[in-house]
Amino acid sequence: MMTTVSYNREKAVSYAEKWAFSRNPRYMSFDGIGGDCTSFVSQCLYAGSGVMNYTPVMGWYYNSAADRAPAWSGVPYLYQFLTGNRSVGPFAHEAAIEKLELGDIIQLGDASGKWYHSLLVCKAGANPYVTTHTFDAWMRPLSSYTYANARGLHIEGVRNW
């Protein structure tokens, strides 16, 4: 029977702080081939959830560079997984930026509707501070970014067996 537990927001942010300016050797770096931001945010989510979803194609997992779900490293796929997940792993709903909490996610998009960057909230509020890879940052104010669209993802919890 599946149970729902709390997402450990502090563990996610501690992981983000530790690896903000370096790469965990357990994971492939996507720098230079699309960016490492969503893989880094997924690593933070995993640190705070402790469970992956091994559903083929539509899950959220990383075993190796050749054995991973698209949601692990792709901005729109992570959104689809988190907002549509009814099975094992973290799940979320879209929320206003000012309503996000520590360990939640912000994704940035352009005017055409393409979502291209994932950030982890490390200090919540009307102008949250974020941590990310690709353009490595720790506690950078969201207001310092230039973007056309932003969406927030509030992590509601984690399901496990």
Side-chain angles (χ1 to χ4, degrees):
M1 181 169 153
M2 208 166 357
T3 60
T4 301
V5 296
S6 296
Y7 169 56
N8 191 324
R9 298 173 180 283
E10 292 77 21
K11 278 188 177 179
V13 173
S14 290
Y15 184 95
E17 181 177 14
K18 178 177 181 176
W19 294 103
F21 296 106
S22 61
R23 303 297 183 262
N24 183 334
R26 183 192 177 315
Y27 301 99
M28 175 184 163
S29 171
F30 293 87
D31 291 323
I33 54 169
D36 198 51
C37 62
T38 303
S39 176
F40 176 67
V41 165
S42 285
Q43 293 168 44
C44 296
L45 280 173
Y46 181 61
S49 67
V51 61
M52 294 182 188
N53 179 312
Y54 288 95
T55 304
V57 183
M58 300 307 293
W60 174 76
Y61 63 90
Y62 181 100
N63 292 319
S64 69
D67 184 14
R68 70 185 193 299
W72 188 268
S73 55
V75 177
Y77 304 111
L78 179 61
Y79 174 86
Q80 290 169 358
F81 171 76
L82 289 172
T83 59
N85 184 23
R86 304 289 179 260
S87 186
V88 175
F91 58 97
H93 68 268
E94 200 166 329
I97 301 297
E98 62 274 8
K99 301 283 187 188
L100 296 177
E101 298 176 31
L102 188 75
D104 283 340
I105 299 167
I106 297 172
Q107 292 188 322
L108 304 181
D110 64 21
S112 73
K114 179 183 178 203
W115 298 95
Y116 60 84
H117 200 34
S118 297
L119 313 141
L120 188 82
V121 175
C122 292
K123 181 180 176 190
N127 179 30
Y129 283 67
V130 296
T131 299
T132 190
H133 272 183
T134 304
F135 304 106
D136 296 4
W138 163 250
M139 295 293 281
R140 179 177 170 180
L142 180 63
S143 61
S144 70
Y145 285 85
T146 301
Y147 54 90
N149 294 300
R151 63 184 176 199
L153 291 168
H154 173 67
I155 308 300
E156 297 178 58
V158 179
R159 293 187 192 96
N160 207 344
W161 292 112

